[in-house]
Amino acid sequence: MAKAPHPAPPRPAAPAASPVRVAPAVAPRTKITEPSTGARNIVRALEEQGVDTIFGMPGGAILPTYDPLYDSTKLRHILVRHEQGAGHAATGYAAATGRVGVCMATSGPGATNLITPLADAHMDSVPLVAITGQVGASMIGTDAFQEADIVGATMPLTKHSFLVTDPDEIPARIAEAFHIASTGRPGPVLVDIAKSAQQATSDFVWPPRMDLPGYHPVTKPHARQVREAARLLATARRPVLYVGGGAVRANAARELAELVNLSGAAVVTTLMARGVVPDSHPQNLGMPGMHGTVPAVAALQKADLIVALGARFDDRVTGRLDSFAPRATIVHADIDPAEISKNRTADVPIVGDLKEVVTDLTVELRAAHAQHGQPDLEGWWQQLDELRHTYPLGWAPTEDGLMAPQHVISRLGEISGPESIYVSGVGQHQMWAAQFISYEHPRTWLNSGGLGTMGYAVPAAMGAKVGRPDATVWAIDGDGCFQMTNQELATCALEEIPIKVALINNSSLGMVRQWQTLFYEGRYSHTDLHTGHETKHIPDFVKLAEAYGCVGLRCTSTADVDATIKRAMEIDDQPVVVDFVVSRDAMVWPMVAAGVSNDDIQYARGITPAWDRDE
């Protein structure tokens, strides 16, 4: 066994602590018993949970709760313009802070408008509690006005959904909802409360007795499996740490930095994990997958060992699954046992909290190094460094001479800096924001990764700014996404939430158009939105921003990009919308087409990287 020190690139010092606000410790409290109502029980339970912000909209079935909420001095209620905005705002708040986000809506359409953000939070493991009003208990099942079976509808899309008809049960169900949402694999929980229960008299008793039989998330990993993973990591010749969003949710950045440095392994960070390992770290190869970097994709394909940490072998990462990483032994660590071997069979499964897994793995890796010596990774890094040198991320000038969206986003990241929070919509601008902004801290990159929800950016940025008021928060949105939820700019203006929106306006549904270019012979069926160059400009985004009480700016020239971004940065007391009117023909590269092997990644159109795939 080789004893020479492995030649991984120079390692930086451990990253500074994340700027994430840490929730204050909750001191033990004496038992509270107060005369109350069901509605007041909801408000008091939220107060006792330490909630400071609720995003919501009232309606008939939740109206009893809005009455005592009016008197609360601990809860800030932010009145959104659409329930979907409430859900995404709560998600953005949670993703930026690590705390549980809270949203509230009435029955029927109010509740069903929350389904998209609940599904979004479920896919991306975001802790969220949604409280909905339901029709009176005696009317449930009668097709009463604005009745919808929201518990049945959301059960597959949440960690759990409760229906409460007894006012005395409300404190316990809300306490259970917060416990479930924030422990194990984080996720959304819905509490649907009948109007009759809200109106009934009750006693508020706190803390309540929670009753969750069978819910016991495993956090401590099995020592023997961790030891075997360490042995494999110490003896592999082409190891890769495949880091997913679970590492962000587990707040494992500091522990992960120690493992990365000790192992000398190559690191890839998924779309959801951007920032959990600093982009400046020399072992970080960037993002793998459909629009990942060539070195990251190649590293996974050529690895002899993949240690997956809070990642789920998503199809956007693996490409055609049967050709993914054909020679790799798989170690898969995740808090959710259902993820283990779901898509790719794990040779070493590890169930546990990522922070504990990584901590234990680091300890065991030191012992494995003592036994087996440091692995010889010189040849591995020579291959990877050659790929990094040959296939860096970049873009070509646009053929129409108009602004390149990649340039706008790149300059935005450089001028605003790594301490800012960037929240994207879904589409081309999302991929460019993931590629061309350098992320140095966890929880500074928020997006809808699993569900791919257009319309996520503006309300999620609003929530992030509420949770992290001292941070500069940029929503990077497309003209298609923006038109789905931009009404929340009114909320931002009235509630004094000064987010900044960089609208990457290519006048089309850009990613769909890219696929039409590549796979449908340029037949652009219904993707032109008429918002950009030489169009009707409907809507005029500057006028729209001003109508919402925001500052509206427009930039159409590359020469004006820096000055426009700096002007937006100077405005701290109002939301700002910058309409960057860019070329519609820019495309996202590299690319692995859907259903294709990662071996067939294209660096640019018609250019396939040369590497020895049979090596």
Side-chain angles (χ1 to χ4, degrees):
M1 205 60 67
K3 296 290 184 182
H6 59 73
R11 287 73 182 274
S18 164
V20 172
R21 187 178 66 183
V22 177
V26 178
R29 297 177 180 178
T30 56
K31 187 155 187 170
I32 299 171
T33 303
E34 302 169 350
S36 187
T37 64
R40 186 174 176 277
N41 280 352
I42 297 172
V43 174
R44 290 289 290 118
L46 294 174
E47 291 177 341
E48 293 299 323
Q49 283 291 154
V51 173
D52 56 25
T53 306
I54 302 169
F55 301 92
M57 178 179 281
I62 195 67
L63 203 53
T65 298
Y66 270 79
D67 190 61
L69 183 61
Y70 188 68
D71 296 325
S72 177
T73 58
K74 298 179 179 178
L75 301 176
R76 178 188 182 187
H77 179 271
I78 294 178
L79 175 61
V80 297
R81 295 302 182 267
H82 190 289
E83 289 88 353
Q84 183 182 356
H88 291 316
T91 302
Y93 175 97
T97 65
R99 305 180 68 191
V100 177
V102 181
C103 56
M104 185 176 288
T106 192
S107 64
T112 56
N113 281 340
L114 288 177
I115 287 180
T116 295
L118 286 170
D120 188 281
H122 189 52
M123 290 283 278
D124 288 344
S125 305
V126 180
L128 189 73
V129 169
I131 294 174
T132 50
Q134 181 56 276
V135 300
S138 64
M139 302 174 72
I140 293 176
T142 68
D143 288 339
F145 176 67
Q146 291 195 333
E147 181 191 1
D149 179 8
I150 193 63
V151 169
T154 59
M155 192 64 84
L157 305 172
T158 58
K159 278 190 80 174
H160 196 60
S161 296
F162 294 99
L163 172 63
V164 186
T165 56
D166 183 343
D168 294 339
E169 291 185 0
I170 290 172
R173 298 296 89 79
I174 289 180
E176 290 163 0
F178 276 79
H179 180 69
I180 293 171
S182 59
T183 55
R185 178 178 181 171
V189 179
L190 178 134
V191 186
D192 191 37
I193 305 173
K195 185 173 183 177
S196 54
Q198 298 172 56
Q199 293 171 318
T201 58
S202 176
D203 285 334
F204 176 70
V205 179
W206 194 269
R209 180 179 177 276
M210 295 196 295
D211 183 20
L212 295 170
Y215 182 72
H216 305 292
V218 174
T219 60
K220 186 65 178 174
H222 196 287
R224 187 173 63 187
Q225 291 159 322
V226 173
R227 198 175 306 123
E228 175 60 8
R231 185 191 69 79
L232 290 169
L233 194 52
T235 56
R237 292 297 174 268
R238 298 190 299 277
V240 178
L241 301 181
Y242 163 33
V243 181
V248 178
R249 302 290 180 246
N251 294 316
R254 185 177 296 277
E255 293 76 9
L256 190 59
E258 190 172 357
L259 177 65
V260 168
N261 291 339
L262 181 65
S263 69
V267 180
V268 300
T269 51
T270 68
L271 177 69
M272 298 307 296
R274 303 288 289 119
V276 75
V277 176
D279 279 350
S280 60
H281 196 293
Q283 289 166 237
N284 191 345
L285 301 177
M287 183 173 71
M290 176 175 278
H291 294 296
T293 71
V294 171
V297 172
L300 288 172
Q301 289 302 97
K302 297 161 77 71
D304 64 354
L305 174 69
I306 292 176
V307 180
L309 301 169
R312 55 190 178 88
F313 294 91
D314 178 82
D315 63 282
R316 285 294 194 261
V317 168
T318 64
R320 205 181 75 201
L321 192 57
D322 61 3
S323 65
F324 173 71
R327 295 172 183 81
T329 298
I330 302 295
V331 175
H332 192 175
D334 202 288
I335 186 72
D336 185 354
E339 287 296 337
I340 307 290
S341 297
K342 184 176 76 177
N343 295 324
R344 173 67 183 260
T345 301
D347 299 285
V348 180
I350 302 175
V351 177
D353 179 85
L354 248 293
K355 181 176 283 201
E356 295 196 39
V357 170
V358 172
T359 299
D360 290 359
L361 183 55
T362 303
V363 172
E364 291 296 337
L365 184 58
R366 286 200 176 88
H369 283 167
Q371 181 178 357
H372 302 287
Q374 299 272 3
D376 180 3
L377 304 179
E378 182 175 5
W380 180 225
W381 277 108
Q382 283 179 347
Q383 294 177 57
L384 297 176
D385 286 341
E386 184 176 339
L387 288 169
R388 281 202 279 204
H389 175 75
T390 307
Y391 302 107
L393 281 174
W395 66 89
T398 58
E399 293 183 359
D400 54 16
L402 301 176
M403 280 202 304
Q406 301 97 325
H407 174 76
V408 173
I409 292 173
S410 176
R411 291 302 298 153
L412 178 62
E414 290 172 6
I415 293 172
S416 194
E419 305 301 324
S420 298
I421 296 173
Y422 303 92
V423 187
S424 83
V426 169
Q428 288 182 312
H429 61 282
Q430 175 191 28
M431 293 299 117
W432 289 320
Q435 292 176 331
F436 294 110
I437 292 176
S438 293
Y439 298 96
E440 296 295 306
H441 309 289
R443 301 192 187 280
T444 56
W445 162 244
L446 315 182
N447 78 125
S448 172
L451 196 63
T453 304
M454 293 176 67
Y456 171 88
V458 169
M462 176 173 70
K465 183 65 177 176
V466 171
R468 299 269 305 279
D470 296 333
T472 298
V473 177
W474 278 96
I476 300 173
D477 219 355
D479 47 312
C481 289
F482 182 71
Q483 292 187 74
M484 294 186 176
T485 53
N486 64 48
Q487 73 276 6
E488 299 308 336
L489 287 173
T491 309
C492 291
L494 290 169
E495 293 281 346
E496 299 181 347
I497 306 169
I499 66 169
K500 305 180 193 303
V501 180
L503 189 53
I504 308 301
N505 178 4
N506 62 4
S507 199
S508 62
L509 299 171
M511 190 62 88
V512 183
R513 179 185 168 87
Q514 175 166 336
W515 283 40
Q516 289 174 330
T517 301
L518 297 174
F519 309 123
Y520 293 88
E521 301 175 340
R523 290 163 52 83
Y524 300 115
S525 175
H526 302 286
T527 47
D528 190 350
L529 293 175
H530 301 283
T531 53
H533 285 287
E534 299 178 354
T535 71
K536 297 177 180 176
H537 277 280
I538 297 177
D540 182 320
F541 290 121
V542 172
K543 292 180 180 176
L544 182 68
E546 291 172 349
Y548 278 133
C550 307
V551 176
L553 305 173
R554 175 168 290 131
C555 178
T556 60
S557 167
T558 302
D560 297 332
V561 167
D562 284 17
T564 307
I565 294 171
K566 290 174 182 175
R567 171 66 185 130
M569 294 287 292
E570 292 169 353
I571 301 169
D572 294 327
D573 57 352
Q574 288 176 277
V576 184
V577 177
V578 186
D579 182 18
F580 289 104
V581 188
V582 301
S583 170
R584 61 166 36 178
D585 293 326
M587 291 201 281
V588 184
W589 300 106
M591 180 175 180
V592 179
V596 171
S597 169
N598 281 349
D599 283 334
D600 296 323
I601 185 173
Q602 290 192 44
Y603 180 55
R605 191 171 188 179
I607 300 176
T608 300
W611 74 64
D612 186 354
R613 292 166 174 76
D614 296 327
E615 186 179 338

